């Protein structure tokens, strides 16, 4: 493929097909079938990326991609770390990179270009209908069709002009003439929108609905405040990201985008949004008014491709991606605080990459495990909607939930080794949150390390020496396969 802009979804698809991790699916229905096929795929040990075409009610060539970051090879390619890494290798390759990318992001300001492939087609006025594209109804009890799952919503700080790119859920409204944007309270995009409302009574946004999944990954990650996700992406790539400036408010639109809208949100313009099957594995929140964006113009490429990232009960479309990103970021933040002995961290996929975190340490002093647990529970990468932090000794593989539970079961005393933190940063997506309750949550820090004062006398683990087991494997492995 030639002459594709940087961060083109088509280049990504071509690369994924080259490594044998793309499957083409023809003839599925936009109403539930796309979501059901995707859900079954995510449950497989090595889920493929799925490219849907010939979707019922839509012309051939109007496509949808899901599962873009669901394996170490695909996500390694997304982060430009290589496409031959396993899970542990990917986290190790990612270690130290987020802080480096953040530090160098401003060295890669966006590169403004005049034209992009999405200018090839435009729908205006009465023709500007988002349902011209195969927007799925992903789950059976969703409140509608959600076009925004793998999207990038660009906002800006009205004071500094620094733009932010966030991935938010977006429900099609008004028979395709509008879409709600459910920016997460407290996140940078929502803060930008509120500042614009206070300053001008309206807030500009642009949205891309198809692009390299790098922008999906960064839009759903806590990139530090004051740093543009598009400039951060430039640091990942080592190249400036080409953008077109929107006609409405001059916000940047990735030149590699497939489908683009722009416009203004106002406090008065809202629609009831939700429910939606969310990353916690539950339908989150009761239907509620949400800012609504009227769509007056849509730009799109020939044969456009939507990028879908539907959440749900883990594993889901982006649970693996979040697990890898969070694991590396949490470990880096703990090390950067000067905490000694931190060996590994893993934000388990069963907890959506947020709710259940395990950290392995080499104990150095009394109280070390509790210190690491408290810091991990509140470090920036883990503070939002974390529920359990388990600290284990470094003989435990933190990626193996069975080993973590074994350590909890045999090295912790519930009466003395569980600490509770109250009124921490929760979310309205929390299925435990009562209606109309302030979105706090509590979190438990579980010390599942051998007691410091018993390190030398604690019972020996009943397993063979790893070196001896390797010898046995070499001699007898043919009988074990």
């Amino acid at each position: 493929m030639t002459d594709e802009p940087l961060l083109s979804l088509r280049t990504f698809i071509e690369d994924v097909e080259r490594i044998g991790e793309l499957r083409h699916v023809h003839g599925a229905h936009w109403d539930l079938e796309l979501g059901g096929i995707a859900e079954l795929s995510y449950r497989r040990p090595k889920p493929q990326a799925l490219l849907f075409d010939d979707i019922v009610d839509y012309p051939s060539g109007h496509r949808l991609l899901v599962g873009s970051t669901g394996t170490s090879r695909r996500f390694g390619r997304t982060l430009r770390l290589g496409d031959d890494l396993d899970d542990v290798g990917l986290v190790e390759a990612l270690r130290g990179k987020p802080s480096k990318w953040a530090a160098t992001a401003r060295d890669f300001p966006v590169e403004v270009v005049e034209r992009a492939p999405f200018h090839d087609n435009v729908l205006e006025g009465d023709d500007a209908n988002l349902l011209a594209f195969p927007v799925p109804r992903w789950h059976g009890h969703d409140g509608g069709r959600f076009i925004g799952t793998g999207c990038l919503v660009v906002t800006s700080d009205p004071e500094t002009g620094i733009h932010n790119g966030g991935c938010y859920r977006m429900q099609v409204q008004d028979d395709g003439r509008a879409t709600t944007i459910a920016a997460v309270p407290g996140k940078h995009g929502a803060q930008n929108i509120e500042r614009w409302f206070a300053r001008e009574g309206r807030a500009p946004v642009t949205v891309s609905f198809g692009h390299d999944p790098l922008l999906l990954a960064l839009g759903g990650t806590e990139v530090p405040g004051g740093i543009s996700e598009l400039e951060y992406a430039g640091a990942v790539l080592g190249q400036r990201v080409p953008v077109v400036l929107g006609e409405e408010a001059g916000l940047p639109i990735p030149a590699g985008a497939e489908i683009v809208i722009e416009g203004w949100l106002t406090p008065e313009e809202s629609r009831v949004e939700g429910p939606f099957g969310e990353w916690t594995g539950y339908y989150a929140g009761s239907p509620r008014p949400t800012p609504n964006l009227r769509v007056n113009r849509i730009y799109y490429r020939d044969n456009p491709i939507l990028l879908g990232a539907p959440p749900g009960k883990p594993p889901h479309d982006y649970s693996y991606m979040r697990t890898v990103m969070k694991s590396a970021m949490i470990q880096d933040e703990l090390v950067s605080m000067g905490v000694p002995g931190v060996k590994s961290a893993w934000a388990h996929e069963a907890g959506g990459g947020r709710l259940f975190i395990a950290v392995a340490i080499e104990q150095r002093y009394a109280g070390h495990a509790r210190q690491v647990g408290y810091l991990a529970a509140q470090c920036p990468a883990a503070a939002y909607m974390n529920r359990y932090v388990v600290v284990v000794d470094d003989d435990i593989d933190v990626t193996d939930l069975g080993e973590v539970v074994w350590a909890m079961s045999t090295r912790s005393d519930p009466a003395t080794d569980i600490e509770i933190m109250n009124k921490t940063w929760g979310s309205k997506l929390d299925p435990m949150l009562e209606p109309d309750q302030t979105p706090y949550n509590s979190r438990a820090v579980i010390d599942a390390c051998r007691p410091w004062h018993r390190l030398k006398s604690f019972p020996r683990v009943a397993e063979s020496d790893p070196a001896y087991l390797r010898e046995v494997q070499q001699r007898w492995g043919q009988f074990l396969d």
Side-chain angles (χ1 to χ4, degrees):
M1 189 175 294
T2 59
D3 300 325
E4 280 294 310
L6 200 62
L7 295 179
S8 162
L9 182 56
R10 301 183 188 214
T11 303
F12 176 84
I13 290 172
E14 185 179 67
D15 288 346
V16 170
E17 188 149 38
R18 175 181 53 78
I19 64 173
E21 294 201 358
L22 180 73
R23 182 164 295 173
H24 296 265
V25 183
H26 295 269
H29 202 292
W30 58 265
D31 190 16
L32 298 184
E33 252 188 348
L34 296 178
I37 294 168
E39 186 174 334
L40 289 173
S41 176
Y42 304 147
R43 295 177 184 176
R44 299 177 67 85
K46 291 291 183 182
Q48 298 276 295
L50 303 180
L51 184 61
F52 293 99
D53 199 352
D54 300 312
I55 298 167
V56 173
D57 294 336
Y58 289 91
S60 180
H62 279 48
R63 292 162 289 170
L64 171 77
L65 180 74
V66 299
S68 57
T69 61
T71 65
S72 58
R73 297 191 74 192
R74 296 203 294 280
F75 195 37
R77 186 269 168 207
T78 299
L79 296 175
R80 277 54 177 185
L81 298 174
D83 55 21
D84 58 352
L85 299 167
D86 61 11
D87 297 345
V88 174
L90 179 55
V91 173
E92 283 303 307
L94 186 55
R95 289 280 321 282
K97 295 295 194 305
S99 57
K100 177 183 176 183
W101 292 332
T104 59
R106 291 186 179 85
D107 296 334
F108 298 93
V110 294
E111 179 182 4
V112 177
V113 297
E114 293 299 318
R115 187 168 178 81
F118 63 72
H119 284 122
D120 289 347
N121 302 279
V122 60
L123 298 174
E124 296 186 273
D126 292 341
D127 294 326
N129 190 325
L130 291 172
L131 297 182
F133 309 97
V135 179
R137 186 165 73 102
W138 295 105
H139 316 104
H141 297 282
D142 284 351
R145 298 169 69 173
F146 281 78
I147 190 170
T149 54
C151 60
L152 186 77
V153 178
V154 179
T155 61
S156 68
D157 185 318
E159 300 296 330
T160 66
I162 296 173
H163 35 82
N164 172 266
C167 181
Y168 309 122
R169 72 193 212 189
M170 298 177 63
Q171 180 179 337
V172 174
Q173 303 283 351
D174 301 346
D175 298 320
R177 310 295 177 182
T179 176
T180 43
I181 301 179
V184 178
K187 300 290 187 176
H188 298 140
Q191 292 175 17
N192 286 342
I193 290 169
E194 289 300 322
R195 291 186 186 112
W196 273 97
F197 282 175
R199 175 173 166 160
E200 290 198 17
R202 60 178 188 165
V205 297
T206 63
V207 188
S208 167
F209 294 112
H211 37 253
D212 188 299
L214 175 62
L215 296 179
L216 163 63
L218 301 184
T221 303
E222 281 79 8
V223 171
I227 297 176
S228 160
E229 277 74 6
L230 292 172
E231 293 180 354
Y232 193 101
V236 175
L237 300 168
Q239 301 180 64
R240 296 169 62 190
V241 174
V243 302
V244 174
L245 298 183
E247 295 180 16
E248 291 283 340
L251 288 176
I253 305 165
E258 293 278 328
I259 303 168
V260 170
I261 62 173
E262 61 173 331
W264 296 82
L265 295 172
T266 64
E268 300 81 17
E269 178 78 14
S270 67
R271 295 290 184 275
V272 173
E273 188 261 9
F276 183 56
E278 270 289 359
W279 61 268
T280 58
Y282 298 87
Y283 289 92
S286 57
R288 60 185 183 272
T290 302
N292 192 48
L293 179 70
R294 292 182 178 273
V295 177
N296 297 317
R297 186 182 297 116
I298 304 172
Y299 298 99
Y300 66 100
R301 297 188 65 162
D302 293 334
N303 297 318
I305 309 170
L306 282 168
L307 177 61
K313 180 182 176 182
H316 57 72
D317 190 285
Y318 57 85
S319 55
Y320 176 79
M321 172 189 78
R322 179 176 284 163
T323 284
V324 171
M325 289 290 289
K326 289 293 179 186
S327 300
M329 293 171 72
I330 291 165
Q331 187 171 352
D332 282 346
E333 288 182 5
L334 290 172
V335 171
S336 71
M337 293 176 198
V339 183
V342 175
K343 298 299 182 181
S344 57
W346 194 254
H348 278 270
E349 196 168 0
R354 290 191 186 275
L355 295 164
F356 191 100
I357 297 164
V359 183
I361 65 170
E362 177 190 357
Q363 291 191 70
R364 303 284 180 84
Y365 43 83
H368 188 188
R370 305 297 172 99
Q371 177 193 29
V372 170
Y374 273 104
L375 291 174
Q378 292 288 17
C379 70
Y384 174 65
M385 210 178 167
N386 166 254
R387 182 157 279 150
Y388 295 98
V389 173
V390 183
V391 185
V392 296
D393 295 296
D394 61 352
D395 65 323
I396 300 298
D397 177 1
V398 292
T399 71
D400 186 330
L401 197 54
E403 287 206 22
V404 174
V405 173
W406 176 70
M408 292 169 59
S409 302
T410 62
R411 300 182 185 181
S412 69
D413 176 3
T416 59
D417 290 325
I418 301 177
E419 306 275 359
I420 304 298
M421 306 171 72
N422 290 301
K423 288 193 172 181
T424 55
W425 187 11
S427 169
K428 290 186 178 296
L429 301 182
D430 188 345
M432 290 293 289
L433 189 71
E434 297 284 351
D436 301 320
Q437 193 175 22
T438 302
Y440 294 122
N441 75 347
S442 62
R443 58 200 59 179
V445 174
I446 303 175
D447 181 353
C449 292
R450 289 167 291 199
W452 170 255
H453 63 282
R454 296 183 60 199
L455 279 183
K456 293 182 180 180
S457 62
F458 202 80
R460 186 187 302 273
V461 175
E463 63 180 354
S464 299
D465 180 83
Y468 175 68
L469 288 180
R470 285 193 294 270
E471 292 178 14
V472 172
Q473 175 68 35
Q474 289 175 355
R475 292 181 59 192
W476 300 96
Q478 70 269 27
F479 297 103
L480 303 173
D481 294 334

